[in-house]
Amino acid sequence: MVKLDGDKFEKCSIERKTVNYDDNSGRFAKEGDEYTKQYASLYVKRLEELASVLKVKLKVKWGSDVNLIPLSDLEEQEGRKCAIIGTLFKHQPNKPSILKELSEEHQMSMPAPLVDYCSDEDQLFLEDQTSRVRLTGDNVNVKMSVTGVVCAVLGAENSKSTFELIEQWVCGLAGNPEMQEEMASVVRVVIAGNSIKGCKDVHVSRGLVSGKKEDAAAALEMTTGTKRLDALLEYKSIKGVSNPWIGKVADKVIVGTSGQPIQDILKVCGLDTKQPLEWLEKTLEWRHMCPTAPDTIPCMPFYRNDPFILKECPHIYFVGNMDKFETKLYKGKDGQKVRLVCIPKFAHTKTVVLVDLDTLDTTPVSFGSNLD
């Protein structure tokens, strides 16, 4: 309503702008007979796809004559410098283990809960389908490494049969799609997990990503809804989507999760290492949304491919349920621009984040005055 002279009012309506929207999360759908498959196939497919990228990049980085060998041929090098491609494995005695839990179930007192899995006994290995070698040397940063990252390493085997690391190289960003003219209005809302208990009339199209506190719960369940969210999904403007989620809004590629991958990396590497935004940037450079799955994050045992690989460079890359709002415009070496966003927990901060699809500028918007 618009007030005119005196007490007269004139009714008016404002039409909300719309843009094209595509949900591209189909690759996270369950494959076959769910959890009866082994997880080895997921690691094999991850290594196969990202190794082909690294083979090209490492020749640019280290020269076309670099001595690239399979891990199984390392002993034949007799200490000569070489490059190997494989998947990192971080051995951590404090990491959750069902066998360890079973062996300790008869203890009279429970051990004190740990805030993370880190200890001085952590070790870093590189592995493929055939073998594994421990990475050592001054250039190895065990604490800042996570299981599941595919990388190339340059170095040589030493007398202790470990690989003395000279340099490590990861995949880097994927290529950007062609830029398109975008709308700059609020056209879509993404609820990044642990959503609000109640909901009244909804007028903006929303994508609802399952969070850790929903019934899809502890795992990256790749489902499009949960029992607790069924009532919300009755609204035509609300659509349950997978976690992680990939979509296109006005030809802008948007990728994100409800928080579990970054929260788990903080446990693996320690809460005192990097901020969540920095780890989000790392996963972008690793070209993988959640490298610690399935090691310390449960997920489906995918065997046809690894759906968590970032096949296309996103314009917006977000993580939900963080303690505070953080953002950065990441610029890649090939001209890619990615808006990184840590979305704060709404229940604690009463804050949402607006992203301008045209400029990728962000604006945090807070509701209410009693912010806990």
Side-chain angles (χ1 to χ4, degrees):
M1 303 289 287
V2 177
K3 186 174 181 180
L4 299 176
D5 294 336
D7 295 329
K8 295 182 179 180
F9 289 85
E10 180 177 318
K11 185 177 181 180
C12 68
S13 61
I14 300 175
E15 183 177 352
R16 179 174 294 280
K17 295 181 180 180
T18 60
V19 294
N20 293 329
Y21 165 72
D22 296 312
D23 184 353
N24 298 330
S25 302
R27 70 197 207 198
F28 300 120
K30 295 179 181 178
E31 293 180 348
D33 48 1
E34 301 186 5
Y35 287 98
T36 60
K37 298 287 184 182
Q38 296 295 315
Y39 284 104
S41 297
L42 178 59
Y43 284 117
V44 170
K45 294 300 182 181
R46 182 183 305 180
L47 180 57
E48 285 179 354
E49 182 166 344
L50 294 180
S52 62
V53 177
L54 279 167
K55 286 177 181 177
V56 176
K57 287 182 173 287
L58 67 84
K59 289 183 178 180
V60 176
K61 177 70 174 178
W62 295 326
S64 58
D65 58 345
V66 63
N67 182 23
L68 177 62
I69 65 165
L71 183 53
S72 57
D73 293 348
L74 181 59
E75 290 185 4
E76 301 174 6
Q77 298 303 304
E78 298 179 343
R80 291 191 296 272
K81 186 167 72 172
C82 59
I84 307 170
I85 296 175
T87 306
L88 293 179
F89 173 76
K90 187 173 181 177
H91 171 71
Q92 294 184 286
N94 290 337
K95 191 164 56 179
S97 168
I98 183 62
L99 296 178
K100 186 177 180 181
E101 290 176 9
L102 290 174
S103 67
E104 295 176 347
E105 65 179 357
H106 298 298
Q107 291 183 356
M108 296 300 292
S109 60
M110 294 295 294
L114 301 172
V115 295
D116 57 46
Y117 310 142
C118 300
S119 75
D120 294 336
E121 300 177 19
D122 295 350
Q123 297 178 348
L124 193 63
F125 295 82
L126 189 76
E127 61 183 16
D128 61 12
Q129 302 94 313
T130 63
S131 53
R132 171 189 293 182
V133 65
R134 184 183 171 191
L135 302 179
T136 58
D138 295 337
N139 295 315
V140 176
N141 192 336
V142 177
K143 191 167 187 178
M144 301 300 289
S145 302
V146 301
T147 293
V149 173
V150 175
C151 67
V153 295
L154 183 67
E157 188 178 31
N158 59 27
S159 59
K160 297 181 180 179
S161 297
T162 66
F163 192 82
E164 194 82 12
L165 183 69
I166 298 175
E167 191 174 1
Q168 178 179 323
W169 190 247
V170 294
C171 286
L173 275 68
N176 249 339
E178 183 178 352
M179 297 294 289
Q180 301 286 338
E181 182 178 356
E182 321 295 350
M183 303 293 291
S185 301
V186 178
V187 292
R188 193 155 204 92
V189 175
V190 177
I191 303 174
N194 296 346
S195 49
I196 307 168
K197 293 181 180 179
C199 177
K200 295 185 178 180
D201 293 340
V202 180
H203 302 287
V204 184
S205 296
R206 302 185 181 195
L208 189 58
V209 182
S210 298
K212 187 175 181 180
K213 294 184 179 179
E214 264 85 53
D215 290 336
L220 293 176
E221 281 284 0
M222 314 314 141
T223 55
T224 57
T226 66
K227 293 179 180 178
R228 197 181 301 179
L229 300 176
D230 284 347
L232 282 178
L233 296 178
E234 292 179 1
Y235 291 91
K236 293 182 180 180
S237 55
I238 294 182
K239 179 183 179 182
V241 296
S242 64
N243 178 31
W245 172 74
I246 300 175
K248 275 191 176 182
V249 180
D251 294 324
K252 282 289 193 291
V253 178
I254 304 175
V255 179
T257 72
S258 62
Q260 295 97 319
I262 301 303
Q263 291 161 355
D264 192 63
I265 288 175
L266 287 168
K267 289 183 178 180
V268 170
C269 296
L271 302 178
D272 59 344
T273 51
K274 292 180 178 289
Q275 294 297 313
L277 184 68
E278 295 174 293
W279 283 121
L280 185 66
E281 180 179 329
K282 277 290 186 183
T283 62
L284 187 68
E285 294 174 344
W286 294 335
R287 205 179 287 200
H288 203 280
M289 288 177 268
C290 41
T292 59
D295 185 49
T296 46
I297 297 182
C299 71
M300 294 296 299
F302 296 98
Y303 57 92
R304 296 190 181 98
N305 57 66
D306 183 351
F308 307 122
I309 293 173
L310 288 166
K311 302 177 185 294
E312 184 178 31
C313 183
H315 296 91
I316 302 169
Y317 187 32
F318 72 86
V319 58
N321 293 297
M322 297 292 101
D323 290 334
K324 62 180 180 180
F325 166 69
E326 291 183 292
T327 187
K328 174 182 178 179
L329 185 62
Y330 183 96
K331 296 182 180 179
K333 294 181 179 179
D334 297 324
Q336 307 100 315
K337 292 183 179 180
V338 184
R339 172 56 67 181
L340 304 175
V341 186
C342 287
I343 303 174
K345 299 174 183 176
F346 185 81
H348 295 166
T349 65
K350 311 297 187 296
T351 299
V352 300
V353 181
L354 295 180
V355 181
D356 188 316
L357 292 177
D358 188 37
T359 65
L360 297 183
D361 291 338
T362 57
T363 304
V365 178
S366 297
F367 299 87
S369 57
N370 298 320
L371 302 182
D372 297 328

